[in-house]
Amino acid sequence: MGPGFITQTTTFTARLGAAFAFAVLVSILVDIAVQLNVWRVIGVSGQRAHELGNKVAPGVGWLLAVLVIVGGLVFNIGNVGGTGLGVNAMLGVDAKIGGAISALLAIAIFLSKRAGVALDRIVVVLGAVMILMTAYVAIVSGPPVGDALRQTVLPDQVDVLVITTLIGGTVGGYITYAGAHRLLDSGLTGPEHVGAISRSSVVGILVTGVMRVLLFLAVLGVVAGGVTLAQDNPAASAFEAAAGQAGLRVFGIILWAASITSVIGAAYTSVSFMTSSATSPRRRNLLTVAFIALSTLIYVLVGTAPVTLLVFAGAFNGLILPIGFTVVLWVAWRRRDLLGGYRYPAWLLGIGVLAWLLTLYLGYQSLGGLASL
């Protein structure tokens, strides 16, 4: 749930109104289909996505790794920028100073002796803070809940591009591998842990779904009341319209929490594609620190990630999903040897194939974006 997640949800709610509820529902269902398959294959095999890719076809894993690392670095510059904007909205501190301080905090987490435990607990706490504060604004803004419920199943309009954008922002790029690789590091692998792996994958999507719904309702209450959101920062203006200066401060906390968890997630996952299961935790942590430091240095020097680079990285995200998901489904279908003899459920493979067809569409759309750049 990063700064892009917040901006997309706000923008689409302002554009579609209550009809956005249908897009949220469809995207959550597709996200579950994708993440159930990705996490189960990675978790049961006990191998990272790029390691599986190289065993399916030599070089595929390294291609996937390059795409993840390049996209992760560029987006992390934007994530650091998001922490700076969050601190600015909370305390009025200069965005660059706020971003640098936040990055130092993220680095401190990875340098702690119990980095893994600290990482898990901090992300959970910040996620809870985001949800509770967004729920408060959703109540204060007084959204038309009845209309939103009706349009969840009977929408006035359907925007396919909005749905695919939501899917790409939730399970596209490096994002879907973050939790799966974290499970490997925690030792939760093998066929005997299928139940726990599946529950974690679905709960992860449902938590982001709850946040998306609450943010949608918060913004819907504002726009339904006739407020026109600011073009440069629509989410901040929505929170301020709903709850005044207190709402703006709450938004700052939510944006900061969303951004710093994304800084940690992007760095952690990108580094997991540079390393293997045999890499020592200390070396992984040091590489992660270097990744965050590089992202922060570029942000402080440039101000933010150049727009063209962000668009380019977004197009990369559209390519990562179909390439990585193809590897996952091939292992599930044809490479039982990589799953320790585990018999993969046909129903799960079936819904995975349907979701895969959609990822091909996303990838095709991304090629157009890369060509224009």
Side-chain angles (χ1 to χ4, degrees):
M1 303 184 290
F5 177 100
I6 292 172
T7 304
Q8 284 176 3
T9 304
T10 304
T11 303
F12 293 149
T13 302
R15 184 197 305 176
L16 298 177
F20 182 55
F22 177 76
V24 172
L25 175 63
V26 173
S27 67
I28 288 172
L29 294 175
V30 176
D31 291 342
I32 288 173
V34 171
Q35 191 143 295
L36 263 174
N37 279 282
V38 171
W39 284 34
R40 182 171 298 204
V41 167
I42 290 175
V44 171
S45 69
Q47 299 178 66
R48 289 172 167 75
H50 59 292
E51 293 173 322
L52 286 173
N54 284 332
K55 289 182 179 177
V56 167
V60 169
W62 297 124
L63 171 63
L64 183 61
V66 168
L67 292 174
V68 168
I69 293 165
V70 170
L73 177 62
V74 177
F75 274 120
N76 224 28
I77 300 167
N79 292 334
V80 173
T83 64
L85 292 174
V87 171
N88 178 260
M90 274 191 288
L91 306 171
V93 176
D94 180 83
K96 284 190 178 182
I97 295 174
I101 292 171
S102 301
L104 288 174
L105 179 59
I107 287 171
I109 292 169
F110 279 99
L111 290 179
S112 68
K113 290 183 178 179
R114 303 184 66 193
V117 175
L119 173 68
D120 294 340
R121 288 179 180 171
I122 286 169
V123 169
V124 168
V125 169
L126 292 177
V129 167
M130 282 191 275
I131 288 172
L132 290 172
M133 288 194 160
T134 308
Y136 161 72
V137 178
I139 293 169
V140 170
S141 71
V145 177
D147 189 29
L149 286 172
R150 178 184 65 81
Q151 297 211 49
T152 302
V153 290
L154 294 170
D156 291 342
Q157 60 177 312
V158 176
D159 192 321
V160 176
L161 186 58
V162 166
I163 294 171
T164 55
T165 302
L166 294 185
I167 293 166
T170 311
V171 293
Y174 66 84
I175 305 168
T176 194
Y177 303 110
H181 286 187
R182 182 75 197 102
L183 284 177
L184 296 188
D185 287 346
S186 69
L188 199 68
T189 63
E192 66 275 16
H193 290 118
V194 163
I197 292 167
S198 296
R199 278 193 303 276
S200 296
S201 64
V202 174
V203 167
I205 293 298
L206 292 180
V207 168
T208 63
V210 167
M211 178 65 182
R212 180 96 69 188
V213 168
L214 290 174
L215 185 55
F216 156 64
L217 290 174
V219 177
L220 181 63
V222 172
V223 297
V227 175
T228 301
L229 302 183
Q231 291 294 316
D232 58 338
N233 200 341
S237 65
F239 276 65
E240 188 172 12
Q245 282 297 305
L248 185 61
R249 301 289 180 257
V250 165
F251 170 75
I253 295 170
I254 292 170
L255 180 62
W256 181 83
S259 301
I260 197 165
T261 51
S262 295
V263 168
I264 291 170
Y268 168 83
T269 312
S270 298
V271 168
S272 76
F273 276 84
M274 301 178 195
T275 56
S276 69
S277 307
T279 307
S280 69
R282 182 177 181 277
R283 186 176 180 186
R284 261 203 305 272
N285 287 347
L286 290 176
L287 284 171
T288 307
V289 167
F291 193 90
I292 295 173
L294 178 60
S295 307
T296 306
L297 179 63
I298 296 172
Y299 165 68
V300 170
L301 293 176
V302 179
T304 184
V307 174
T308 305
L309 269 181
L310 282 172
V311 174
F312 190 73
F316 260 40
N317 261 7
L319 294 177
I320 293 167
L321 186 54
I323 292 172
F325 202 34
T326 299
V327 168
V328 164
L329 292 178
W330 182 260
V331 171
W333 182 39
R334 304 292 294 175
R335 295 298 303 272
R336 195 172 168 186
D337 58 309
L338 295 176
L339 298 176
Y342 172 71
R343 185 180 294 278
Y344 206 80
W347 67 269
L348 185 55
L349 185 59
I351 65 170
V353 169
L354 292 176
W356 174 73
L357 293 173
L358 183 57
T359 71
L360 292 181
Y361 171 76
L362 282 168
Y364 175 75
Q365 293 291 101
S366 293
L367 285 175
L370 287 172
S372 65
L373 288 170

Coordinates of all heavy atoms in Angstrom, one line a residue, residues 22 74 87 98 113 127 189 240 245 253 268 273 308 338:
F22 N -17.1 -1.5 -8.1 CA -17.0 -2.7 -8.9 C -15.6 -3.0 -9.3 O -15.2 -4.2 -9.3 CB -17.9 -2.5 -10.2 CG -17.9 -3.7 -11.2 CD1 -18.6 -4.8 -10.9 CD2 -17.1 -3.6 -12.3 CE1 -18.5 -5.9 -11.8 CE2 -17.0 -4.7 -13.2 CZ -17.8 -5.8 -12.9
V74 N 13.9 2.6 -9.3 CA 13.2 3.9 -9.7 C 12.0 4.2 -8.8 O 11.8 5.3 -8.4 CB 12.8 3.8 -11.2 CG1 12.0 5.0 -11.6 CG2 14.0 3.6 -12.1
V87 N 6.0 13.6 5.8 CA 6.5 14.3 6.9 C 6.1 15.8 6.8 O 5.8 16.5 7.8 CB 8.0 14.2 7.0 CG1 8.6 15.1 8.1 CG2 8.4 12.7 7.4
G98 N 12.7 15.4 5.4 CA 11.8 14.4 5.8 C 12.1 13.1 5.2 O 12.1 12.0 5.8
K113 N 19.9 -6.0 15.1 CA 20.3 -7.4 15.2 C 19.2 -8.4 14.9 O 19.4 -9.5 14.5 CB 20.8 -7.7 16.6 CG 22.2 -7.0 16.9 CD 22.7 -7.4 18.3 CE 24.1 -6.7 18.5 NZ 24.6 -7.0 19.8
G127 N 0.7 -0.7 9.0 CA -0.5 -1.1 8.3 C -1.8 -0.8 9.1 O -2.8 -0.3 8.6
T189 N 8.4 -23.0 4.5 CA 8.4 -23.5 3.1 C 8.1 -25.0 3.1 O 8.1 -25.7 4.2 CB 9.8 -23.3 2.5 OG1 10.8 -24.1 3.3 CG2 10.2 -21.9 2.5
E240 N -8.3 16.9 3.8 CA -8.5 18.2 4.4 C -9.9 18.6 4.3 O -10.5 19.2 5.2 CB -7.6 19.2 3.7 CG -7.5 20.5 4.3 CD -6.5 21.5 3.8 OE1 -5.9 21.2 2.7 OE2 -6.2 22.5 4.4
Q245 N -7.7 20.8 9.1 CA -6.3 20.6 9.3 C -5.9 19.3 10.0 O -4.9 18.7 9.7 CB -5.8 21.8 10.2 CG -5.6 23.1 9.4 CD -4.5 22.9 8.4 OE1 -3.4 22.6 8.6 NE2 -4.9 23.2 7.1
I253 N 0.3 11.3 8.1 CA 0.7 10.0 8.7 C 0.5 8.8 7.8 O 1.3 7.9 7.7 CB -0.1 9.9 10.1 CG1 0.3 11.0 11.0 CG2 0.2 8.5 10.7 CD1 -0.6 11.1 12.3
Y268 N 13.9 -4.5 0.1 CA 14.0 -5.9 0.5 C 13.8 -6.9 -0.7 O 14.6 -7.8 -0.9 CB 13.0 -6.2 1.6 CG 12.8 -7.7 1.9 CD1 13.7 -8.4 2.7 CD2 11.8 -8.5 1.2 CE1 13.6 -9.7 3.0 CE2 11.7 -9.8 1.5 CZ 12.6 -10.4 2.4 OH 12.4 -11.8 2.6
F273 N 16.2 -10.5 -5.2 CA 16.5 -11.0 -6.5 C 18.0 -10.9 -6.9 O 18.4 -11.4 -8.0 CB 15.6 -10.2 -7.5 CG 14.2 -10.7 -7.7 CD1 13.2 -10.3 -6.8 CD2 13.9 -11.5 -8.8 CE1 11.9 -10.8 -6.9 CE2 12.6 -12.0 -8.9 CZ 11.6 -11.6 -8.0
T308 N 9.7 10.6 -16.6 CA 9.9 9.6 -17.7 C 10.4 8.3 -17.1 O 9.9 7.2 -17.6 CB 10.9 10.1 -18.7 OG1 10.4 11.4 -19.2 CG2 11.0 9.1 -19.9
L338 N 10.2 -29.8 -9.0 CA 10.7 -28.6 -8.2 C 9.8 -28.3 -7.0 O 10.1 -27.5 -6.2 CB 10.6 -27.4 -9.2 CG 11.6 -27.4 -10.3 CD1 11.4 -26.2 -11.2 CD2 13.1 -27.5 -9.8

